[in-house]
Amino acid sequence: MSEPVRVGVIGLGTVGSGVVRLLAESADQIARHAGRRILVERAVVKDLTKPRHVPLASDRISGEITDIAGDDSISVGVLLVGGLEPARSMAVALLESGKDVVTANKALLAEHGPELFALARAKGRSIAFEAAVAGGIPIVAAIGECLAANRIESIRGILNGTSNFILSTMEEEGADYAAVLKLAQQKGFAEADPAMDVDGTDATQKLAILAHLAFGVWVPWRDIPQTGIEAIDQELMAFAAEFGYRIRLVAVAARVNGRLAMRVSPTLVKAGTPLAETREAYNAVSIVGDAVGRMFFHGLGAGQMPTASAVVADIIDTVVGRAAITFRTTGLLDPDSPAARIAGVEMPERHFLRIPVLDRPGVMAEISGTLGRHGISIASLIQHETGMPGPVPMVIMTHHASPAAVAGALTEIAVCDAVQGTSACLPVLDDWQPAAEHLEG
Ligand code: NDP
Ligand code: HSE
């Protein structure tokens, strides 16, 4: 067997500790795949006083990125620090010093990917990032390599473990939103700033990365319409269930009339379908390719060991040279990647509306009349008698309608006298499959 390879790990939090543990505990298995042993030469952390429960001597843990970047015996930098800075500067330091980089930091890639990938190319190094999207599910390799013969038509996925854990636990246990979020943080699923999980940012950044791999275009994540799960409550879940649906935070990128449509939004998914049955911190990705047809991937999208599984696979790929070949040949995150204009590209779909109305004569006619004037047809409607004073929820499932028309109708509805409060509007993911068409810029 060849000489061992030495790696440096930056960050010993949830994921970093898991990676060090997996490299130690599964050393033989990993060496069999890598053709040599992989040793953690050093780890770098922020707070040197924290107790560390990792199989690494304390004199191998230090506080400066230069301890890894400046060590010529280390060939791979495993960057497991979240956020943008100092993660960006650390990635630059690793690449400048001739190290290959493995990272799980999707925020970094979504924000600075083109710049970092250009630097890696200039330095003849690679960046591997399987763990950055959908945790333990090998979706980056699936889209970037295994499905490379396909023209991808659509990707729909649950890409954030924390929000899925919150939604499915609220749904199944009637649990309170804030309490479940706290539990997700304790379990190590959530970002350091959990707002990025629940407001859809994390899923949107992952979607930008997947769309780049699948469609070859670079869409800045801020251009992707994004809605989080903060406004989802038990009542909305109960009405969705009455219609036979569950609510999930779904990320979609699909070809529509030759353009790319993208969005991240809480979405109604039919109970019993794979996305609806994705629970806890599991992620799921459904992909339609022109040759392979529809495929479904399911697995843990967050958490220590599932994420470590993907990081260590990337370390092995880097050590054996596969990552470098993929990196060189696929033009990943090339700054010259064409941009796609996604603004105004709409997916034809049904909508689920909850409108808080006063229970008095003529209100239903007023609401349905407004929807009708905007070309929106009602498929079904629920309004329960509450026997209480004050507004009652009028819940409507529309037929297929343009999101712009629905937004226009809701703006008009918001100023009706009988409407008391803010309406909710969620898209409904039925088994709609976009037609195969060519993408325009
Ligand atoms: P944690 O917050 O648990 O750990 C972050 C680590 O980074 C800590 O060890 C911290 O040091 C270290 N760190 C922070 N700032 C510095 C600094 N200035 N210098 C040196 N070290 C620093 O994060 P996670 O392990 O959960 O996540 C790491 C990355 O992986 C993130 O990008 C995240 O998005 C991504 N990811 C996380 C998943 C998960 O399930 N948790 C799943 C998939 C991806 P210290 O310990 O001293 O505070
Ligand atoms: N915070 C992320 C999530 C971690 O909950 O999905 C995995 O990327």
Side-chain angles (χ1 to χ4, degrees):
M1 200 174 269
S2 318
E3 279 288 290
V5 173
R6 294 174 198 282
V7 304
V9 177
I10 305 98
L12 287 180
T14 303
V15 183
S17 307
V19 167
V20 173
R21 228 181 84 198
L22 193 54
L23 285 170
E25 289 172 4
S26 302
D28 291 344
Q29 148 89 8
I30 289 166
R32 192 164 60 79
H33 283 279
R36 53 214 291 199
R37 297 194 90 74
I38 298 177
L39 305 177
V40 177
E41 178 67 16
R42 173 159 302 283
V44 162
V45 295
K46 185 174 181 181
D47 180 355
L48 284 168
T49 66
K50 268 191 203 171
R52 305 284 166 186
H53 307 287
V54 287
L56 195 63
S58 56
D59 64 353
R60 292 194 179 267
I61 302 176
S62 56
E64 296 298 328
I65 183 67
T66 46
D67 296 338
I68 289 176
D71 184 339
D72 290 340
S73 75
I74 295 175
S75 51
V76 184
V78 185
L79 181 57
L80 300 170
V81 171
L84 299 182
E85 279 298 348
R88 182 193 149 280
S89 309
M90 289 170 159
V92 169
L94 293 168
L95 294 167
E96 293 280 8
S97 63
K99 321 267 183 243
D100 291 311
V101 171
V102 171
T103 188
N105 187 333
K106 56 276 166 157
L108 178 68
L109 297 179
E111 195 74 41
H112 297 298
E115 165 205 340
L116 293 174
F117 279 58
L119 176 61
R121 262 183 213 103
K123 296 285 172 188
R125 306 310 340 151
S126 60
I127 301 177
F129 55 94
E130 182 61 71
V133 186
I137 305 177
I139 196 69
V140 170
I143 297 179
E145 297 168 38
C146 313
L147 298 176
N150 287 262
R151 208 175 64 118
I152 304 295
E153 305 299 344
S154 67
I155 301 173
R156 304 156 175 180
I158 294 172
L159 300 178
N160 182 266
T162 301
S163 52
N164 203 61
F165 180 78
I166 293 173
L167 290 176
S168 62
T169 310
M170 281 173 70
E171 177 188 271
E172 285 163 25
E173 296 173 17
D176 166 65
Y177 176 97
V180 191
L181 171 57
K182 204 161 169 206
L183 192 55
Q185 287 176 287
Q186 284 161 3
K187 286 176 176 277
F189 306 148
E191 297 300 306
D193 174 6
M196 298 184 74
D197 292 296
V198 296
D199 74 2
T201 298
D202 179 75
T204 305
Q205 292 175 330
K206 290 167 174 167
L207 183 66
I209 295 169
L210 286 191
H212 173 71
L213 293 169
F215 302 102
V217 293
W218 182 242
V219 180
W221 71 268
R222 285 190 180 78
D223 290 355
I224 303 172
Q226 149 192 348
T227 310
I229 62 163
E230 304 98 318
I232 304 301
D233 54 35
Q234 292 289 353
E235 185 189 78
L236 268 179
M237 290 181 162
F239 278 118
E242 233 176 290
F243 281 114
Y245 290 83
R246 298 185 195 283
I247 299 176
R248 294 287 181 265
L249 184 70
V250 180
V252 182
R255 296 175 194 266
V256 179
N257 302 326
R259 303 269 310 275
L260 186 60
M262 293 174 80
R263 65 125 200 275
V264 170
S265 169
T267 302
L268 264 67
V269 286
K270 195 85 187 151
T273 60
L275 285 182
E277 299 314 317
T278 299
R279 296 188 162 89
E280 300 178 354
Y282 280 83
N283 281 192
V285 186
S286 159
I287 297 180
V288 178
D290 62 345
V292 75
R294 189 184 293 270
M295 298 199 79
F296 189 74
F297 300 81
H298 183 259
L300 276 166
Q304 184 169 65
M305 297 320 281
T307 311
S309 156
V311 172
V312 171
D314 268 352
I315 297 173
I316 296 171
D317 265 8
T318 303
V319 166
V320 301
R322 273 195 300 268
I325 295 171
T326 312
F327 196 75
R328 258 199 320 274
T329 53
T330 55
L332 279 177
L333 293 198
D334 189 329
D336 297 329
S337 298
R341 286 177 288 111
I342 61 167
V345 186
E346 295 189 329
M347 282 171 267
E349 55 202 344
R350 307 200 301 156
H351 293 78
F352 168 84
L353 312 175
R354 179 183 64 183
I355 305 168
V357 294
L358 292 177
D359 192 1
R360 71 183 189 202
V363 174
M364 208 169 273
E366 192 179 1
I367 301 290
S368 61
T370 307
L371 291 172
R373 275 198 309 286
H374 286 264
I376 300 156
S377 167
I378 295 174
S380 39
L381 187 149
I382 302 174
Q383 186 185 307
H384 294 304
E385 192 175 355
T386 64
M388 309 269 284
V392 294
M394 180 187 285
V395 181
I396 294 171
M397 178 69 81
T398 73
H399 283 296
H400 281 72
S402 130
V406 174
L410 285 175
T411 305
E412 226 176 277
I413 285 169
V415 295
C416 293
D417 281 351
V419 174
Q420 307 271 304
T422 309
S423 298
C425 171
L426 276 66
V428 180
L429 199 60
D430 289 309
D431 208 22
W432 170 73
Q433 196 167 329
E437 286 164 26
H438 289 287
L439 264 191
E440 290 163 9

Coordinates of all heavy atoms in Angstrom, one line a residue, residues 198-236:
V198 N -35.0 27.9 8.3 CA -36.4 28.0 8.3 C -36.9 29.1 7.3 O -38.1 29.0 6.9 CB -37.0 28.3 9.7 CG1 -36.7 27.2 10.7 CG2 -36.4 29.6 10.3
D199 N -36.0 30.0 6.9 CA -36.5 31.0 5.9 C -36.2 30.6 4.5 O -36.5 31.3 3.6 CB -35.9 32.4 6.2 CG -34.4 32.5 5.8 OD1 -33.9 31.5 5.3 OD2 -33.8 33.6 6.0
G200 N -35.7 29.4 4.3 CA -35.6 28.8 3.0 C -34.2 29.1 2.3 O -33.9 28.6 1.3
T201 N -33.4 29.9 3.0 CA -32.1 30.3 2.4 C -31.2 29.0 2.1 O -30.6 28.9 1.0 CB -31.3 31.2 3.3 OG1 -32.1 32.4 3.4 CG2 -29.9 31.6 2.8
D202 N -31.1 28.1 3.1 CA -30.2 27.0 3.0 C -30.7 26.1 1.8 O -29.9 25.7 0.9 CB -30.3 26.2 4.3 CG -29.4 24.9 4.2 OD1 -28.2 25.0 4.3 OD2 -30.0 23.8 4.1
A203 N -32.0 25.9 1.7 CA -32.5 25.1 0.6 C -32.3 25.8 -0.8 O -32.0 25.1 -1.8 CB -34.0 24.8 0.8
T204 N -32.4 27.1 -0.8 CA -32.3 27.9 -2.0 C -30.8 27.8 -2.5 O -30.5 27.6 -3.7 CB -32.7 29.3 -1.8 OG1 -34.0 29.3 -1.3 CG2 -32.7 30.1 -3.0
Q205 N -29.9 27.9 -1.5 CA -28.5 27.8 -1.9 C -28.1 26.4 -2.5 O -27.4 26.3 -3.4 CB -27.6 28.1 -0.7 CG -27.7 29.6 -0.3 CD -27.0 30.0 1.0 OE1 -26.8 29.1 1.9 NE2 -26.6 31.2 1.1
K206 N -28.7 25.4 -1.9 CA -28.5 24.0 -2.4 C -29.1 23.9 -3.8 O -28.6 23.2 -4.6 CB -29.1 23.0 -1.4 CG -28.3 22.9 -0.1 CD -29.1 22.2 1.0 CE -28.3 22.0 2.3 NZ -29.2 21.5 3.4
L207 N -30.3 24.5 -3.9 CA -31.0 24.4 -5.3 C -30.1 25.0 -6.3 O -30.0 24.5 -7.5 CB -32.4 25.0 -5.2 CG -33.2 24.9 -6.5 CD1 -33.5 23.4 -6.8 CD2 -34.5 25.7 -6.4
A208 N -29.5 26.2 -6.0 CA -28.7 26.9 -7.0 C -27.5 26.0 -7.4 O -27.2 25.9 -8.6 CB -28.1 28.2 -6.4
I209 N -26.9 25.2 -6.4 CA -25.8 24.3 -6.8 C -26.3 23.1 -7.6 O -25.7 22.8 -8.6 CB -25.2 23.8 -5.4 CG1 -24.5 25.0 -4.7 CG2 -24.1 22.7 -5.7 CD1 -24.1 24.7 -3.3
L210 N -27.4 22.5 -7.2 CA -28.0 21.4 -8.0 C -28.4 21.8 -9.4 O -28.1 21.1 -10.4 CB -29.2 20.8 -7.3 CG -29.0 20.0 -6.1 CD1 -30.2 19.2 -5.7 CD2 -27.8 19.0 -6.3
A211 N -29.0 23.0 -9.5 CA -29.4 23.5 -10.9 C -28.2 23.7 -11.8 O -28.2 23.5 -13.0 CB -30.2 24.8 -10.7
H212 N -27.1 24.2 -11.2 CA -25.9 24.4 -12.0 C -25.4 23.0 -12.5 O -25.1 22.9 -13.7 CB -24.8 25.0 -11.1 CG -23.5 25.1 -11.8 ND1 -23.3 26.0 -12.9 CD2 -22.4 24.4 -11.7 CE1 -22.1 25.8 -13.4 NE2 -21.5 24.8 -12.7
L213 N -25.4 22.0 -11.6 CA -24.9 20.7 -12.1 C -25.9 20.1 -13.1 O -25.4 19.5 -14.1 CB -24.9 19.7 -10.9 CG -23.9 20.1 -9.8 CD1 -24.2 19.2 -8.6 CD2 -22.5 19.8 -10.3
A214 N -27.2 20.3 -12.9 CA -28.2 19.7 -13.8 C -28.4 20.4 -15.1 O -28.5 19.8 -16.2 CB -29.5 19.6 -13.1
F215 N -28.4 21.8 -15.1 CA -28.8 22.5 -16.3 C -27.6 23.3 -16.9 O -27.8 24.0 -17.9 CB -29.9 23.5 -15.9 CG -31.1 22.8 -15.4 CD1 -31.4 22.8 -14.0 CD2 -32.0 22.1 -16.2 CE1 -32.5 22.1 -13.5 CE2 -33.1 21.4 -15.7 CZ -33.4 21.4 -14.4
G216 N -26.4 23.3 -16.2 CA -25.3 24.0 -16.7 C -25.3 25.5 -16.7 O -24.5 26.2 -17.3
V217 N -26.3 26.0 -15.9 CA -26.4 27.5 -15.8 C -26.1 27.9 -14.4 O -26.3 27.1 -13.5 CB -27.8 28.0 -16.2 CG1 -28.1 27.7 -17.7 CG2 -28.9 27.3 -15.4
W218 N -25.7 29.2 -14.2 CA -25.5 29.6 -12.9 C -26.5 30.7 -12.5 O -26.6 31.8 -13.1 CB -24.1 30.2 -12.8 CG -23.7 30.7 -11.4 CD1 -23.4 32.0 -11.0 CD2 -23.7 29.9 -10.2 NE1 -23.2 32.0 -9.6 CE2 -23.3 30.8 -9.1 CE3 -23.9 28.5 -9.9 CZ2 -23.2 30.3 -7.8 CZ3 -23.7 28.1 -8.6 CH2 -23.4 29.0 -7.6
V219 N -27.4 30.3 -11.6 CA -28.4 31.3 -11.1 C -28.0 31.7 -9.7 O -28.0 30.9 -8.8 CB -29.8 30.6 -11.1 CG1 -30.9 31.6 -10.6 CG2 -30.1 30.0 -12.4
P220 N -27.7 33.0 -9.6 CA -27.4 33.5 -8.2 C -28.5 33.1 -7.3 O -29.7 33.4 -7.6 CB -27.2 35.0 -8.4 CG -27.0 35.2 -9.8 CD -27.7 34.1 -10.6
W221 N -28.2 32.6 -6.1 CA -29.3 32.1 -5.2 C -30.3 33.2 -4.8 O -31.4 32.9 -4.6 CB -28.7 31.3 -4.0 CG -28.0 32.2 -3.0 CD1 -26.7 32.5 -2.9 CD2 -28.6 32.8 -1.9 NE1 -26.5 33.3 -1.9 CE2 -27.6 33.5 -1.2 CE3 -29.9 32.9 -1.4 CZ2 -27.9 34.3 0.0 CZ3 -30.2 33.6 -0.2 CH2 -29.2 34.3 0.4
R222 N -29.8 34.4 -4.8 CA -30.7 35.5 -4.4 C -31.8 35.8 -5.4 O -32.8 36.4 -5.1 CB -29.9 36.8 -4.1 CG -29.2 36.7 -2.8 CD -28.6 38.1 -2.4 NE -27.9 38.0 -1.1 CZ -26.7 37.5 -1.0 NH1 -26.0 37.1 -2.0 NH2 -26.1 37.5 0.2
D223 N -31.6 35.3 -6.7 CA -32.6 35.5 -7.7 C -33.7 34.5 -7.6 O -34.7 34.6 -8.3 CB -31.9 35.4 -9.1 CG -31.0 36.5 -9.4 OD1 -30.9 37.5 -8.6 OD2 -30.3 36.5 -10.5
I224 N -33.5 33.5 -6.8 CA -34.5 32.4 -6.8 C -35.6 32.8 -5.8 O -35.3 33.0 -4.6 CB -33.8 31.0 -6.4 CG1 -32.7 30.7 -7.3 CG2 -34.9 29.9 -6.3 CD1 -31.9 29.5 -6.9
P225 N -36.9 32.8 -6.2 CA -37.9 33.1 -5.2 C -37.9 32.1 -4.1 O -37.9 30.9 -4.3 CB -39.2 33.0 -6.1 CG -38.8 33.1 -7.5 CD -37.4 32.6 -7.5
Q226 N -38.0 32.7 -2.9 CA -37.9 31.8 -1.7 C -38.9 32.2 -0.6 O -39.0 33.4 -0.3 CB -36.4 32.0 -1.2 CG -36.2 31.9 0.2 CD -34.8 32.4 0.6 OE1 -33.9 32.6 -0.2 NE2 -34.5 32.6 1.9
T227 N -39.6 31.2 -0.1 CA -40.4 31.4 1.1 C -40.1 30.4 2.1 O -39.9 29.2 1.7 CB -41.9 31.3 0.7 OG1 -42.2 32.1 -0.5 CG2 -42.9 31.7 1.8
G228 N -40.1 30.8 3.4 CA -39.7 29.8 4.4 C -40.9 29.2 5.1 O -42.1 29.4 4.6
I229 N -40.7 28.5 6.2 CA -41.8 27.8 6.8 C -42.3 28.5 8.1 O -43.1 27.9 8.8 CB -41.3 26.3 7.2 CG1 -40.2 26.4 8.3 CG2 -41.0 25.5 6.0 CD1 -40.0 25.1 9.0
E230 N -41.8 29.7 8.3 CA -42.1 30.4 9.6 C -43.6 30.6 9.8 O -44.1 30.6 10.9 CB -41.5 31.8 9.7 CG -39.9 31.8 9.5 CD -39.5 32.1 8.1 OE1 -40.2 31.6 7.1 OE2 -38.6 32.9 7.9
A231 N -44.4 30.7 8.7 CA -45.8 31.0 8.8 C -46.7 29.8 8.8 O -47.9 29.9 8.8 CB -46.2 32.0 7.7
I232 N -46.1 28.6 8.8 CA -46.9 27.4 8.7 C -47.3 27.0 10.1 O -46.5 26.9 11.1 CB -46.1 26.2 8.1 CG1 -45.5 26.5 6.7 CG2 -46.9 24.9 8.1 CD1 -46.5 26.9 5.7
D233 N -48.6 26.8 10.3 CA -49.2 26.5 11.6 C -50.0 25.2 11.5 O -50.3 24.7 10.5 CB -50.0 27.7 12.1 CG -51.1 28.2 11.2 OD1 -51.7 27.3 10.5 OD2 -51.3 29.4 11.1
Q234 N -50.4 24.8 12.7 CA -51.2 23.6 12.8 C -52.5 23.6 12.0 O -52.9 22.6 11.4 CB -51.5 23.3 14.3 CG -50.3 22.9 15.1 CD -49.7 21.5 14.8 OE1 -50.3 20.8 14.0 NE2 -48.6 21.3 15.4
E235 N -53.1 24.8 12.0 CA -54.4 24.9 11.2 C -54.2 24.7 9.7 O -54.9 24.0 9.1 CB -55.0 26.3 11.5 CG -56.4 26.4 10.8 CD -56.9 27.9 10.9 OE1 -56.4 28.7 10.1 OE2 -57.7 28.1 11.8
L236 N -53.1 25.3 9.2 CA -52.8 25.1 7.7 C -52.5 23.6 7.5 O -53.0 23.0 6.5 CB -51.5 25.8 7.3 CG -51.7 27.3 6.8 CD1 -50.4 27.9 6.5 CD2 -52.6 27.3 5.6

